[in-house]
mmCIF file of all heavy atoms in Angstrom:
data_model
loop_
_atom_site.group_PDB
_atom_site.id
_atom_site.type_symbol
_atom_site.label_atom_id
_atom_site.label_comp_id
_atom_site.label_asym_id
_atom_site.label_seq_id
_atom_site.Cartn_x
_atom_site.Cartn_y
_atom_site.Cartn_z
ATOM 1 N N CYS A 1186 147.425 69.333 138.655
ATOM 2 C CA CYS A 1186 147.810 69.972 137.376
ATOM 3 C C CYS A 1186 148.524 68.954 136.499
ATOM 4 O O CYS A 1186 149.345 68.175 136.943
ATOM 5 C CB CYS A 1186 148.757 71.130 137.607
ATOM 6 S SG CYS A 1186 148.121 72.391 138.727
ATOM 7 N N GLY A 1187 148.225 69.033 135.192
ATOM 8 C CA GLY A 1187 148.894 68.184 134.218
ATOM 9 C C GLY A 1187 148.135 68.266 132.901
ATOM 10 O O GLY A 1187 146.961 68.613 132.854
ATOM 11 N N THR A 1188 148.799 67.945 131.766
ATOM 12 C CA THR A 1188 148.162 67.910 130.479
ATOM 13 C C THR A 1188 147.418 66.622 130.299
ATOM 14 O O THR A 1188 147.706 65.628 130.997
ATOM 15 C CB THR A 1188 149.168 68.064 129.331
ATOM 16 O OG1 THR A 1188 149.985 66.888 129.277
ATOM 17 C CG2 THR A 1188 150.061 69.308 129.488
ATOM 18 N N THR A 1189 146.497 66.575 129.391
ATOM 19 C CA THR A 1189 145.713 65.363 129.140
ATOM 20 C C THR A 1189 146.687 64.224 128.822
ATOM 21 O O THR A 1189 146.590 63.072 129.357
ATOM 22 C CB THR A 1189 144.737 65.578 127.943
ATOM 23 O OG1 THR A 1189 143.848 66.578 128.299
ATOM 24 C CG2 THR A 1189 143.991 64.295 127.609
ATOM 25 N N ALA A 1190 147.616 64.454 127.918
ATOM 26 C CA ALA A 1190 148.569 63.418 127.466
ATOM 27 C C ALA A 1190 149.383 62.855 128.636
ATOM 28 O O ALA A 1190 149.540 61.641 128.758
ATOM 29 C CB ALA A 1190 149.471 63.942 126.378
ATOM 30 N N SER A 1191 149.888 63.751 129.487
ATOM 31 C CA SER A 1191 150.719 63.270 130.616
ATOM 32 C C SER A 1191 149.858 62.484 131.617
ATOM 33 O O SER A 1191 150.292 61.489 132.212
ATOM 34 C CB SER A 1191 151.406 64.459 131.292
ATOM 35 O OG SER A 1191 152.484 64.935 130.458
ATOM 36 N N MET A 1192 148.606 62.980 131.835
ATOM 37 C CA MET A 1192 147.702 62.285 132.743
ATOM 38 C C MET A 1192 147.273 60.904 132.201
ATOM 39 O O MET A 1192 146.893 60.028 132.965
ATOM 40 C CB MET A 1192 146.506 63.145 133.058
ATOM 41 C CG MET A 1192 146.883 64.382 133.917
ATOM 42 S SD MET A 1192 145.431 65.455 134.175
ATOM 43 C CE MET A 1192 144.540 64.514 135.439
ATOM 44 N N CYS A 1193 147.310 60.777 130.883
ATOM 45 C CA CYS A 1193 146.951 59.469 130.294
ATOM 46 C C CYS A 1193 148.109 58.490 130.231
ATOM 47 O O CYS A 1193 147.913 57.340 129.815
ATOM 48 C CB CYS A 1193 146.373 59.713 128.859
ATOM 49 S SG CYS A 1193 144.735 60.438 128.836
ATOM 50 N N GLY A 1194 149.342 58.962 130.526
ATOM 51 C CA GLY A 1194 150.472 58.018 130.549
ATOM 52 C C GLY A 1194 151.398 58.136 129.373
ATOM 53 O O GLY A 1194 152.374 57.378 129.283
ATOM 54 N N ILE A 1195 151.138 59.107 128.503
ATOM 55 C CA ILE A 1195 152.024 59.267 127.309
ATOM 56 C C ILE A 1195 153.417 59.711 127.729
ATOM 57 O O ILE A 1195 154.455 59.241 127.183
ATOM 58 C CB ILE A 1195 151.399 60.190 126.299
ATOM 59 C CG1 ILE A 1195 150.147 59.527 125.717
ATOM 60 C CG2 ILE A 1195 152.369 60.529 125.158
ATOM 61 C CD1 ILE A 1195 149.323 60.435 124.780
ATOM 62 N N GLU A 1196 153.486 60.577 128.758
ATOM 63 C CA GLU A 1196 154.795 61.049 129.196
ATOM 64 C C GLU A 1196 155.686 59.943 129.734
ATOM 65 O O GLU A 1196 156.822 59.738 129.356
ATOM 66 C CB GLU A 1196 154.600 62.115 130.273
ATOM 67 C CG GLU A 1196 155.838 62.732 130.875
ATOM 68 C CD GLU A 1196 155.561 63.776 131.941
ATOM 69 O OE1 GLU A 1196 154.584 64.546 131.816
ATOM 70 O OE2 GLU A 1196 156.399 63.825 132.904
ATOM 71 N N LYS A 1197 155.103 59.119 130.661
ATOM 72 C CA LYS A 1197 155.825 58.046 131.274
ATOM 73 C C LYS A 1197 156.241 57.006 130.225
ATOM 74 O O LYS A 1197 157.437 56.607 130.186
ATOM 75 C CB LYS A 1197 154.965 57.403 132.364
ATOM 76 C CG LYS A 1197 155.714 56.176 133.037
ATOM 77 C CD LYS A 1197 154.786 55.445 133.969
ATOM 78 C CE LYS A 1197 155.499 54.240 134.562
ATOM 79 N NZ LYS A 1197 154.589 53.388 135.385
ATOM 80 N N ALA A 1198 155.333 56.618 129.396
ATOM 81 C CA ALA A 1198 155.625 55.579 128.361
ATOM 82 C C ALA A 1198 156.714 56.047 127.395
ATOM 83 O O ALA A 1198 157.567 55.293 126.969
ATOM 84 C CB ALA A 1198 154.372 55.156 127.626
ATOM 85 N N SER A 1199 156.654 57.347 127.059
ATOM 86 C CA SER A 1199 157.654 57.890 126.105
ATOM 87 C C SER A 1199 159.023 57.849 126.739
ATOM 88 O O SER A 1199 160.029 57.485 126.082
ATOM 89 C CB SER A 1199 157.287 59.349 125.749
ATOM 90 O OG SER A 1199 156.068 59.416 125.074
ATOM 91 N N TYR A 1200 159.154 58.313 127.999
ATOM 92 C CA TYR A 1200 160.470 58.363 128.609
ATOM 93 C C TYR A 1200 161.008 56.980 128.896
ATOM 94 O O TYR A 1200 162.209 56.719 128.884
ATOM 95 C CB TYR A 1200 160.403 59.195 129.918
ATOM 96 C CG TYR A 1200 160.313 60.680 129.647
ATOM 97 C CD1 TYR A 1200 159.317 61.448 130.218
ATOM 98 C CD2 TYR A 1200 161.276 61.320 128.852
ATOM 99 C CE1 TYR A 1200 159.209 62.788 129.933
ATOM 100 C CE2 TYR A 1200 161.142 62.684 128.577
ATOM 101 C CZ TYR A 1200 160.098 63.405 129.109
ATOM 102 O OH TYR A 1200 160.032 64.780 128.852
ATOM 103 N N GLN A 1201 160.089 55.992 129.089
ATOM 104 C CA GLN A 1201 160.571 54.645 129.356
ATOM 105 C C GLN A 1201 160.695 53.780 128.094
ATOM 106 O O GLN A 1201 161.036 52.609 128.131
ATOM 107 C CB GLN A 1201 159.609 53.935 130.359
ATOM 108 C CG GLN A 1201 159.652 54.567 131.702
ATOM 109 C CD GLN A 1201 158.799 53.820 132.743
ATOM 110 O OE1 GLN A 1201 157.955 52.993 132.360
ATOM 111 N NE2 GLN A 1201 158.949 54.183 134.008
ATOM 112 N N HIS A 1202 160.347 54.429 126.927
ATOM 113 C CA HIS A 1202 160.406 53.724 125.652
ATOM 114 C C HIS A 1202 159.645 52.427 125.679
ATOM 115 O O HIS A 1202 160.077 51.398 125.139
ATOM 116 C CB HIS A 1202 161.842 53.471 125.193
ATOM 117 C CG HIS A 1202 162.677 54.719 125.144
ATOM 118 N ND1 HIS A 1202 162.465 55.714 124.184
ATOM 119 C CD2 HIS A 1202 163.650 55.196 125.934
ATOM 120 C CE1 HIS A 1202 163.301 56.701 124.382
ATOM 121 N NE2 HIS A 1202 164.063 56.432 125.455
ATOM 122 N N ASP A 1203 158.451 52.479 126.347
ATOM 123 C CA ASP A 1203 157.606 51.278 126.453
ATOM 124 C C ASP A 1203 156.527 51.340 125.386
ATOM 125 O O ASP A 1203 155.556 52.064 125.563
ATOM 126 C CB ASP A 1203 156.965 51.261 127.879
ATOM 127 C CG ASP A 1203 156.166 50.012 128.140
ATOM 128 O OD1 ASP A 1203 155.670 49.390 127.210
ATOM 129 O OD2 ASP A 1203 156.048 49.658 129.352
ATOM 130 N N LYS A 1204 156.774 50.578 124.313
ATOM 131 C CA LYS A 1204 155.882 50.719 123.149
ATOM 132 C C LYS A 1204 154.435 50.299 123.462
ATOM 133 O O LYS A 1204 153.456 50.935 123.034
ATOM 134 C CB LYS A 1204 156.445 49.800 122.024
ATOM 135 C CG LYS A 1204 155.766 49.998 120.668
ATOM 136 C CD LYS A 1204 156.481 49.215 119.610
ATOM 137 C CE LYS A 1204 155.724 49.349 118.277
ATOM 138 N NZ LYS A 1204 156.326 48.446 117.251
ATOM 139 N N GLU A 1205 154.248 49.203 124.202
ATOM 140 C CA GLU A 1205 152.900 48.709 124.562
ATOM 141 C C GLU A 1205 152.170 49.710 125.438
ATOM 142 O O GLU A 1205 151.017 49.990 125.230
ATOM 143 C CB GLU A 1205 153.028 47.335 125.215
ATOM 144 C CG GLU A 1205 151.641 46.697 125.463
ATOM 145 C CD GLU A 1205 151.787 45.358 126.170
ATOM 146 O OE1 GLU A 1205 152.892 44.754 126.165
ATOM 147 O OE2 GLU A 1205 150.760 44.925 126.755
ATOM 148 N N ALA A 1206 152.877 50.226 126.463
ATOM 149 C CA ALA A 1206 152.247 51.209 127.335
ATOM 150 C C ALA A 1206 151.888 52.464 126.607
ATOM 151 O O ALA A 1206 150.821 53.110 126.818
ATOM 152 C CB ALA A 1206 153.219 51.542 128.492
#
Side-chain angles (χ1 to χ4, degrees):
C1186 304
T1188 68
T1189 299
S1191 288
M1192 291 178 73
C1193 288
I1195 293 175
E1196 180 181 324
K1197 179 186 175 186
S1199 297
Y1200 286 125
Q1201 294 184 348
H1202 303 289
D1203 186 333
K1204 192 176 176 184
E1205 186 181 340

